[in-house]
């Protein structure tokens, strides 16, 4: 789920999301997992999205209006 800051920054295209935003979301979940939170399923899902560069998984509100 995109935060307000991510929506404000956005991504110019899907590739930009995979390079700039998704790795940060993954790192945040990794830190939450280290802190004992139950985020393993979300972390696995986002890692798969990044590995496959699944364009359908890019939140549309982060991309410019078409």
């Amino acid at each position: 789920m995109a935060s307000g800051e991510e929506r404000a920054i956005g991504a110019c295209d899907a590739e930009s999301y995979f390079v700039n935003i998704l790795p940060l979301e993954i790192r945040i979940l990794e830190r939450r997992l280290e802190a004992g939170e139950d985020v393993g399923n979300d972390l696995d899902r986002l890692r798969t999205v990044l590995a496959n560069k699944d364009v359908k998984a890019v939140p549309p509100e982060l991309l410019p209006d078409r």
Side-chain angles (χ1 to χ4, degrees), residues 11-42:
C12 59
D13 56 27
E15 182 62 26
S16 161
Y17 173 76
F18 295 124
V19 171
N20 298 310
I21 296 174
L22 190 54
L24 295 174
E25 290 180 343
I26 290 170
R27 186 63 190 131
I28 290 167
L29 287 178
E30 289 171 342
R31 296 293 300 204
R32 289 176 60 192
L33 186 66
E34 291 168 5
E37 291 186 45
D38 183 19
V39 295
N41 290 338
D42 292 332

Side-chain angles (χ1 to χ4, degrees), residues 6 9-10 14 22 24-25 29-30 38 43-44 48 51 53-55 60 65:
E6 288 170 337
I9 294 169
L22 190 54
L24 295 174
E25 290 180 343
L29 287 178
E30 289 171 342
D38 183 19
L43 183 55
D44 290 342
T48 300
K53 293 197 174 181
D54 183 1
V55 175
D65 293 333

